[in-house]
Amino acid sequence: SEETSMKGALIGCGFFAQNQLHAWRDIDGAEIVALCDRDPERLAATAETFGITRTYTDAAAMFAAEELDFVDIATTVQSHRPLVEMAAGAGCHVICQKPFAETMDDARAMVAAVEAAGRTLMVHENFRWQSAVRKAIETVRSGAIGTPFFGRVAFRSGYDVYSGQPYLAEGERFIIEDLGIHILDISRALFGDVERIAATTKRVNPKIRGEDVATMLLAHEGGVTSVVDCSYATRRTPETFPQSLLEIDGAEGTLRLDAGYSLVVQTGGNETVTDVSPPILPWAERPWHNIQESVRIIQQHFVACIDAGTQPETSGADNLKTLALVQAAYRSAETGETVRLSGI
Ligand code: NAD
Ligand code: 89V
C-alpha cells in the first residue's frame, strides 16, 4: 500500500535511467518521489515523462529537503563516490549503477560508508539477472550437468553503442570497464570467485579511444577454468547484441546458451532445448528488451532484500570482487603477466 511503500529518489536522468524509471513504475513496495540531474533540460524532460514533480539540480539540496528511504544513482562513474557517501550520510539505502568505481579505494570507501550507516547497498549489476542467463545459472547450480570444469562466457557484437552513450568512445578504458564487467560478473555467478586472470586487449575501431576487444582466461578457486571474451568490433550475422552466450562443460553433461535465447542441456545422451527468450515489457524495445527486463528484476530484488533484511546477491561488497577482476584484467593486459586476485 501507499503507506508502506518505500520512497526513493533517482539521481542522473540520462540514457539508461529512463529504463530504471519505467521499471520502478512496475514495482510494488517502492516509488520514486524525486528526481535529480545537474542538467536542467534532462531533468525537466524526465520529470515530464514520468510525472514526477519534485526535482533538483543539486543532490545535496535534494537530500536536505526530502525524506527518502532509498536513492537510485544512475549517473556515470565519476560521481558515484560523492553521491553514495551523501546518500549514506542521509541514512538512505542505495542502488548505484555499474561501473561502481574506477578504483578499489573508492569502491571500498563506498561499501564502508553505507555499512556504517546501517543501510543496504546494491550495485545495479544486472546482467546476471537477465532471465535467460538466470535460467542457465540456476540449471548449473541445480547440479544438472554435474560439477562444472570449463566455461565460456562470450559477448561479441558490432552494435553501435556510441550513439546512445557517447562517453563510451571517449574513455581511456572501454570494453572491460563498461561491458566486460558484466560478463566477468556472470562468470563469477556461475563458477565462483577467481584466483588468477590473464587478459589481452585490442582496439579495432580507430574512432574510439579505449579497447573494444578483450579476451580473458580465469582460474576459479573452485577449480573451474573460464574464458570470458568480449568484443564490440565483431561484424557477423545474426547480430546478437546484447546477448551473453554460454558454453559450459560439467562432469555429467554440457549446457549452452546459444544466440536467439536457446538453452541447450545435454546429459546422459539426452538433449533438451528450451526457448528462454525474455518477455518484451510494454515499455521495452528490441534489442534492448533483454537488458530492460533485467532492470525490473534487479530493482525488485533490492526491494525484496530490504523487506526481508537480507543482502542483495549483487551487493556493494559482492561487487568488489567483480571490480577487482576488472582491475586485474587491465593489469594483465598491460604487463603480459597472469595476475593473482589476492594482490588487488
Ligand atoms: P548519461 O550520461 O546518459 O546520463 C547520466 C546523467 O547523470 C546525465 O544526465 C548527467 O547530467 C547526470 N549527472 C552526472 N553527474 C551528476 C551529479 N553529480 N549530480 C546530478 N546529475 C548528474 O549516462 P548513461 O548512459 O545513462 O549511463 C549512466 C550509468 O549507467 C553509467 O555508469 C553506465 O555504465 C550505466 N549503464 C548501465 C547499463 C546496464 O545495463 N546496467 C546500461 C547502460 C548504462
Ligand atoms: O549494459 C551496459 O552496461 C551498456 C552496454 C550494453 C552498451 O555495454 O553500457
Side-chain angles (χ1 to χ4, degrees):
S1 73
E2 281 297 306
E3 299 90 76
T4 55
S5 195
M6 289 199 298
K7 299 206 180 320
L10 180 137
I11 308 178
C13 302
F15 171 77
F16 200 71
Q18 310 301 310
N19 297 314
Q20 294 169 224
L21 287 165
H22 277 295
W24 283 122
R25 286 214 231 182
D26 294 347
I27 288 169
D28 291 331
E31 61 173 324
I32 298 297
V33 299
L35 291 177
C36 171
D37 198 299
R38 61 185 179 198
D39 175 338
E41 279 170 30
R42 280 189 167 191
L43 179 64
T46 306
E48 158 108 30
T49 304
F50 292 94
I52 297 167
T53 51
R54 282 137 74 178
T55 60
Y56 300 84
T57 51
D58 177 59
M62 182 178 77
F63 284 114
E66 297 287 332
E67 282 204 13
L68 300 167
D69 300 306
F70 76 100
V71 64
D72 190 10
I73 299 170
T75 60
T76 40
V77 68
Q78 297 77 12
S79 52
H80 287 173
R81 182 169 174 181
L83 292 174
V84 168
E85 288 178 343
M86 228 184 267
C92 290
H93 299 295
V94 183
I95 306 178
C96 181
Q97 257 297 351
K98 52 58 63 176
F100 185 39
E102 288 176 313
T103 67
M104 293 308 297
D105 280 353
D106 282 349
R108 290 188 185 112
M110 288 187 275
V111 170
V114 182
E115 220 168 76
R119 294 294 183 268
T120 297
L121 169 62
M122 183 181 82
V123 176
H124 190 121
E125 178 42 79
N126 52 333
F127 271 42
R128 68 160 79 183
W129 292 106
Q130 293 168 6
S131 55
V133 171
R134 200 71 199 173
K135 192 74 211 270
I137 292 170
E138 278 163 11
T139 305
V140 171
R141 288 182 184 170
S142 78
I145 60 163
T147 305
F149 60 88
F150 169 84
R152 176 178 176 208
V153 190
F155 185 107
R156 313 193 72 79
S157 169
Y159 186 85
D160 171 22
V161 287
Y162 314 107
S163 58
Q165 296 164 264
Y167 58 91
L168 295 179
E170 293 156 12
E172 196 181 321
R173 291 177 164 187
F174 168 39
I175 201 169
I176 300 176
E177 184 176 89
D178 177 70
L179 184 276
I181 197 169
H182 291 305
I183 312 307
L184 289 164
D185 191 71
I186 291 174
S187 184
R188 280 193 55 235
L190 282 164
F191 310 123
D193 291 338
V194 178
E195 191 185 281
R196 57 188 196 275
I197 183 170
T200 62
T201 57
K202 188 173 181 64
R203 180 182 56 211
V204 174
N205 182 344
K207 295 194 187 116
I208 67 167
R209 189 160 163 233
E211 84 290 352
D212 53 2
V213 180
T215 309
M216 299 169 267
L217 180 71
L218 284 63
H220 295 259
E221 287 170 4
V224 179
T225 294
S226 72
V227 176
V228 173
D229 59 295
C230 307
S231 163
Y232 272 129
T234 300
R235 321 229 161 256
R236 66 175 181 187
T237 51
E239 169 55 71
T240 53
F241 180 86
Q243 296 173 52
S244 304
L245 306 182
L246 304 173
E247 291 171 51
I248 304 169
D249 290 359
E252 282 151 42
T254 63
L255 175 150
R256 296 196 322 265
L257 180 58
D258 286 340
Y261 302 104
S262 176
L263 183 69
V264 182
V265 179
Q266 297 179 343
T267 52
N270 296 316
E271 177 180 85
T272 60
V273 181
T274 314
D275 179 359
V276 290
S277 297
I280 306 179
L281 298 176
W283 47 268
E285 224 180 320
R286 284 178 186 278
W288 287 87
H289 62 292
N290 168 40
I291 291 182
Q292 287 164 319
E293 182 225 12
S294 72
V295 169
R296 192 174 77 172
I297 295 170
I298 195 174
Q299 290 177 188
Q300 188 76 69
H301 176 64
F302 176 73
V303 173
C305 287
I306 289 172
D307 275 355
T310 54
Q311 279 296 308
E313 185 177 302
T314 38
S315 67
D318 180 82
N319 198 256
L320 294 178
K321 297 180 189 175
T322 295
L323 280 178
L325 279 172
V326 169
Q327 299 296 348
Y330 281 115
R331 190 181 294 176
S332 171
E334 210 174 286
T335 60
E337 308 274 335
T338 293
V339 175
R340 287 189 180 274
L341 274 299
S342 55
I344 300 291

